[in-house]
Amino acid sequence: MATEEQGYKIPEAFLEAFGSTFGQQEADAFCRSVNQPSPVSIRVNPYKLNTPPIGGKIVPWCSLGYYLDTRPTFGIDPLWHAGAYYVQEASSMFVSQYLSELSDDTKIALDLCAAPGGKSTLLRSLLPKTCVLIANEPDRGRVSALHENLTRFGSDEVIVTNAYPNELRKSGLMCDIILVDAPCSGEGMFRKDPNSRNEWSMGSVASCSIKQKEILDEAWRMLHQGGILIYSTCTYNKEENEAQLEYLSEHYDVAKIIFPDLKTPEAMGISKGERDGVYRFFPHHTVGEGFTIFALQKAGKKQKVSQEQRNRKRETQNSQIPSILKDSIREQVNITNEGDEFVYLSPQGKVIADLLIKARVRVLSKGIILGSVKGKDFVPHHSWAMSNMIADQAPYPHIEVDEDTALAYLKRDTINLAPHKGFECITYKGVPLGWVKNIGNRVNNLYPKELVIRNRNAVSEELPKLF
Ligand code: SAM
C-alpha cells in the first residue's frame, strides 16, 4: 500500500482536475481506493488450459479473466513460464468485448503500442486463428519483453516489430483491426504503481494528448475501409480520451462508434464517458485499475484479399524441407527456410512480413521457428514447443514431469529422465515447457538461456497452486 508518508502523494493538480470533472464525492472515493491494495487477476490461455484457476472468480467482462484472492509469486510457476496464463489487471481485459463478434474475414490485426504484451496476448487468444497479428513496440528496450511474452503464449501467426507508427505506415501495411493502447500520463496506475503519481503532471497530460493524436493519425491511415480501431489509455481525463474520439470523428470518415455487446456495464461498475461509446473504469467503482476505452469503425466497404495474397496461397512446396518436417506438419505451404532455420507462417503472414522487411521495418520475429538442421539432427526450436497451433504436430514424445523436475528444467539444471534417445518435450500438468535431448545416459537441457527463471532464490517458496 502506498502512502503520502512514503512520498507517494496524489498530485494536487490531478485531484483538482478530477474533482472538477467528476465531482468532489468521486474524487474523495477515488483517493480512498488508490490507497488500497490492487486486485490480482490473470487471464488464461485458451489454447493451453481449459480450466479456471482454483478459487478464481470470473472477471465479468472477459470470459478468460479471473480474480485471485492472493498474489502468488507467478515467476516461479512453471505454468506461467509455459504461457498457460498471463498476469493482467482486469480493466484492460475489456478489449475482449470488441473481439467476440469479429468475422473470419478479419485477416490482419495490428497492436501498435504493444509492450509488454498484455493486450497482444489477449488479441491472439480471441482473434480468428488465421488472422495475422502484428505486435509492434517502438521502444527498443521494451520490445524484447513483448517478444518473450508472445513466444510463451504461443506466437502463432504473430509478427513482432520494433517501429514507430509512421515507419509501419510507410511500408503500405493495411489492417482490418488496430489497437492503439496509447502511451499516456498513467493516472490509472496510481494504485498499482505508486511511482506513477510522482511522474504525473498537467504538462504530461497535454503532451501525451498531442502524441496520441499523432499515433491515431498514423493508425487511421493503416486501417482498411470498414476496419475497426480500438483506442484505450490508463487515464481518466477527457483530453486523452473523449477528445481523441472527437478528433477522429471531426477529421476522418468514421462509420460508427462500436458498442460492446454488454447489457449492463453499469452493473459491473463500468462508467459511461462523456461521449457515447466511451467506457471508463474507476478503481472505486470497478475491481480493476483505471482505464478508458472506445472503438470506432472506419467508413467504407471491406476489401477483399489482394491478388498477391491469393497467389501466395498457391505457392509450391519448398524442396529443402527436412523429411522430419515433411512427415509431421500438415500445412507444408506454411514452412519456409531462412538460412538454417525453418519457420512456420501462413502465406498471408509471409506477404506481410516481406512487405515490412522491404520497407526496412525491424522485424524481431515472424511466425513460429520450428528449428534448424545441425549436422544429422533437426533441432527443434523453443517456439515450436510453445506454439498453440502446431505443438501437437511435433514428432517427439511428451514427457510429463513433477513440480521439482519442472523447476529444475526451467533453471536449466540437469534433470533425470528414463533412458531414451532423441528429442523430447517436457510437459507440466500437460502443458509443454520446452525441449530436451535425451542421449540415454544423460539429458541435455535445451531450455533457452535467456528465459531461465531469474528469481532463483524464490524457487524455495511454495509454488502457486492455481491449476
Ligand atoms: N498494450 C500494452 C499492454 O497491454 O501490455 C501496454 C502499452 S503501454 C500503455 C504504451 C506503449 O506505447 C509503451 O510500451 C510505449 O513504449 C509505447 N509507445 C511510446 N511512444 C509510442 C509511439 N509514438 N507509437 C507507438 N507506441 C508508443
Side-chain angles (χ1 to χ4, degrees):
M1 201 186 301
T3 62
E4 286 196 12
E5 295 75 57
Q6 291 167 329
Y8 295 119
K9 198 169 178 301
I10 301 175
E12 287 295 334
F14 168 82
L15 285 177
E16 223 169 88
F18 190 99
S20 76
T21 309
F22 304 111
Q24 195 50 49
Q25 243 184 331
E26 287 290 296
D28 294 342
F30 172 83
C31 282
R32 285 193 295 276
S33 75
V34 289
N35 289 320
Q36 299 300 313
S38 281
V40 182
S41 48
I42 62 170
R43 184 168 40 72
V44 295
N45 183 340
Y47 292 105
K48 299 200 181 196
L49 279 177
N50 50 18
T51 48
I54 297 160
K57 290 181 203 72
I58 189 104
V59 172
W61 49 86
C62 179
S63 60
L64 300 172
Y66 294 91
Y67 295 110
L68 305 177
D69 289 338
T70 54
R71 179 177 284 277
T73 311
F74 293 112
I76 57 166
D77 185 1
L79 287 178
W80 179 82
H81 288 271
Y85 64 89
Y86 190 93
V87 183
Q88 184 178 39
E89 76 79 22
S91 307
S92 301
M93 299 180 196
F94 195 76
V95 170
S96 62
Q97 285 294 320
Y98 300 99
L99 305 175
S100 52
E101 310 248 318
L102 288 180
S103 59
D104 279 349
D105 64 356
T106 308
K107 300 284 183 218
I108 306 174
L110 168 64
D111 186 357
L112 194 51
C113 322
K119 294 181 191 70
S120 285
T121 53
L122 174 59
L123 288 170
R124 193 56 283 171
S125 297
L126 296 174
L127 286 168
K129 265 191 170 182
T130 52
C131 175
V132 178
L133 170 66
I134 300 139
N136 177 68
E137 167 58 46
D139 186 317
R140 272 202 176 227
R142 287 172 62 86
V143 75
S144 45
L146 172 69
H147 183 219
E148 246 179 45
N149 284 328
L150 279 162
T151 302
R152 257 186 217 111
F153 227 65
S155 61
D156 312 36
E157 288 299 284
V158 175
I159 298 172
V160 179
T161 56
N162 174 216
Y164 279 94
N166 66 330
E167 297 170 317
L168 286 178
R169 194 249 312 148
K170 281 182 195 154
S171 73
L173 177 69
M174 292 298 288
C175 308
D176 301 301
I177 177 163
I178 301 184
L179 170 65
V180 175
D181 184 34
C184 66
S185 66
E187 301 167 344
M189 291 290 112
F190 281 2
R191 176 169 63 186
K192 198 172 165 201
D193 173 16
N195 207 29
S196 63
R197 302 177 187 187
N198 297 340
E199 282 161 12
W200 184 93
S201 69
M202 288 301 264
S204 101
V205 172
S207 63
C208 286
S209 164
I210 294 169
K211 192 181 203 180
Q212 289 152 0
K213 284 193 181 71
E214 289 166 1
I215 296 173
L216 284 171
D217 282 334
E218 298 294 353
W220 197 263
R221 292 163 74 181
M222 285 188 269
L223 193 61
H224 272 310
Q225 292 189 355
I228 293 171
L229 178 111
I230 307 172
Y231 175 84
S232 61
T233 69
C234 47
T235 62
Y236 313 101
N237 67 68
K238 290 185 196 158
E239 291 90 323
E240 296 184 72
N241 299 295
E242 276 87 344
Q244 306 300 347
L245 192 155
E246 279 156 21
Y247 174 78
L248 289 169
S249 310
E250 280 163 21
H251 289 80
Y252 297 105
D253 212 356
V254 173
K256 62 174 183 187
I257 295 170
I258 300 185
F259 293 89
D261 185 25
L262 200 64
K263 300 278 170 316
T264 53
E266 300 88 341
M268 299 170 185
I270 301 168
S271 309
K272 288 194 171 162
E274 179 140 297
R275 292 283 308 242
D276 248 8
V278 175
Y279 295 88
R280 200 169 256 113
F281 293 69
F282 291 109
H284 53 291
H285 291 311
T286 36
V287 189
E289 304 304 340
F291 187 63
T292 302
I293 186 164
F294 65 80
L296 302 174
Q297 184 171 30
K298 188 168 180 171
K301 268 198 154 177
K302 279 198 164 177
Q303 275 114 351
K304 294 248 158 54
V305 179
S306 74
Q307 187 64 43
E308 191 191 359
Q309 289 176 24
R310 268 183 278 142
N311 286 346
R312 278 290 189 124
K313 284 187 181 156
R314 291 197 288 269
E315 232 176 16
T316 50
Q317 195 171 295
N318 183 343
S319 58
Q320 292 177 22
I321 295 175
S323 54
I324 192 162
L325 298 181
K326 279 191 176 147
D327 296 342
S328 60
I329 296 205
R330 286 186 291 274
E331 289 283 339
Q332 291 284 302
V333 72
N334 289 356
I335 306 175
T336 42
N337 63 309
E338 313 237 334
D340 295 350
E341 271 182 351
F342 286 82
V343 173
Y344 185 93
L345 180 66
S346 68
Q348 177 175 250
K350 283 173 210 157
V351 170
I352 298 165
D354 289 350
L355 186 84
L356 295 167
I357 291 165
K358 207 167 145 201
R360 297 182 180 278
V361 168
R362 183 166 179 245
V363 173
L364 263 83
S365 70
K366 42 182 182 152
I368 302 151
I369 304 172
L370 295 165
S372 46
V373 179
K374 297 224 167 93
K376 286 190 274 118
D377 276 342
F378 180 82
V379 181
H381 191 274
H382 186 65
S383 74
W384 193 1
M386 295 290 101
S387 157
N388 298 324
M389 215 183 270
I390 51 159
D392 61 341
Q393 292 185 41
Y396 310 107
H398 279 198
I399 310 294
E400 176 70 12
V401 298
D402 62 13
E403 191 177 296
D404 289 341
T405 313
L407 283 173
Y409 176 72
L410 295 169
K411 289 191 281 174
R412 268 178 75 92
D413 288 348
T414 308
I415 62 169
N416 297 314
L417 299 175
H420 172 264
K421 284 212 166 154
F423 292 99
E424 296 176 327
C425 180
I426 301 298
T427 66
Y428 176 69
K429 299 199 174 177
V431 186
L433 293 179
W435 308 112
V436 291
K437 186 176 182 192
N438 194 336
I439 43 180
N441 56 353
R442 188 160 54 86
V443 171
N444 289 340
N445 187 334
L446 301 184
Y447 194 64
K449 285 194 187 82
E450 64 280 11
L451 298 180
V452 160
I453 288 192
R454 293 181 182 115
N455 196 355
R456 286 180 76 97
N457 296 337
V459 173
S460 56
E461 284 179 29
E462 202 184 327
L463 279 195
K465 298 275 186 303
L466 293 175
F467 296 94

